[in-house]
Amino acid sequence: ANIIITTMMAASITVVLLLTLQLLHPTSGFSLTMTSSPPSPLALNLKCKVKPTHRTKFLTAIQANQQSTRLNEPNNLQFVIGQDTEDENTFYFHEEFVNCEAFQEHMETEHFKVYNAFVNDEEPFDEPPIICLYNLREENDNAVTKKRGVHKESFGLNVNLYPKASVRDDFLKVISGNKQGTDTIEELALQYTY
């Protein structure tokens, strides 16, 4: 199983390499570590295209992983599965954990191991999944300690932006202002995470 991983903001290449090794070789004994000051929530976005013949089994496997994660992992803040609006076999995940250690603990749970075994045994993907790991920025204090709600009738938008280093600080100011505006005046916006 090949996996394409991109990093955003403060995620380190070490995290990406160790995550890749953990997902491809779950019994390898590698650990996932990342330091940040101060510790911040870790988020994962994943896009995968599932073979039509594996769609039902895939949904059963990922939904079991999602439900067990949400019910049994207090350090999981969010786990959302979305389906593409144009391709019923393309799915998006957004997961949040209180920190990197919580995500590593997630990968060591029995429900994650069952899902990962399904992926390795069934090879359900038409193409390699794309994974982005990043530290959340500009979140309120509740985001670190409280699970986010699941809104089943919502529409999600995921945008990956890669500003040039020369404009990064200005870019972050603009995004921060955009988030603040969205959080305060856009009543239908449920979440703005970056």
Side-chain angles (χ1 to χ4, degrees):
N2 292 321
I3 297 174
I4 299 170
I5 299 180
T6 59
T7 59
M8 296 173 59
M9 302 298 176
S12 74
I13 194 67
T14 303
V15 170
V16 173
L17 292 174
L18 291 174
L19 176 62
T20 304
L21 291 170
Q22 181 68 25
L23 290 173
L24 295 176
H25 306 286
T27 59
S28 64
F30 290 101
S31 63
L32 179 68
T33 58
M34 179 167 59
T35 58
S36 62
S37 270
S40 63
L42 180 72
L44 174 144
N45 288 339
L46 182 142
K47 175 185 178 185
C48 61
K49 186 169 176 87
V50 176
K51 297 173 185 172
T53 56
H54 288 67
R55 185 177 194 281
T56 301
K57 285 183 180 180
F58 168 77
L59 285 172
T60 299
I62 192 58
Q63 288 170 344
N65 183 30
Q66 175 197 38
Q67 290 169 2
S68 290
T69 299
R70 295 291 289 166
L71 291 173
N72 302 315
E73 295 184 49
N75 292 325
N76 167 260
L77 301 173
Q78 189 170 41
F79 191 145
V80 178
I81 303 167
Q83 179 178 307
D84 193 88
T85 58
E86 296 178 8
D87 179 358
E88 71 175 6
N89 295 312
T90 297
F91 296 93
Y92 303 90
F93 308 166
H94 176 75
E95 300 177 49
E96 294 178 14
F97 295 86
V98 295
N99 54 34
C100 186
E101 292 76 22
F103 180 66
Q104 183 173 359
E105 290 169 6
H106 166 66
M107 293 191 306
E108 295 168 1
T109 63
E110 189 59 32
H111 53 268
F112 179 83
K113 290 177 182 178
V114 168
Y115 170 73
N116 203 41
F118 164 78
V119 169
N120 289 330
D121 295 344
E122 296 287 330
E123 298 181 359
F125 303 120
D126 254 347
E127 54 193 49
I130 299 171
I131 300 173
C132 292
L133 272 177
Y134 56 100
N135 290 109
L136 297 179
R137 300 176 55 99
E138 298 287 330
E139 290 295 319
N140 63 36
D141 292 337
N142 291 334
V144 178
T145 60
K146 187 173 108 178
K147 287 188 183 283
R148 294 185 194 265
V150 176
H151 304 279
K152 295 187 179 197
E153 297 298 322
S154 61
F155 176 82
L157 175 66
N158 181 28
V159 179
N160 294 331
L161 301 172
Y162 305 95
K164 294 179 183 178
S166 61
V167 298
R168 184 179 187 277
D169 291 340
D170 290 335
F171 171 81
L172 290 174
K173 288 177 189 173
V174 170
I175 293 296
S176 177
N178 194 357
K179 177 186 174 27
Q180 289 173 1
T182 298
D183 288 348
T184 57
I185 64 171
E186 294 185 32
E187 295 175 16
L188 295 178
L190 302 174
Q191 180 177 332
Y192 188 124
T193 302
Y194 76 98

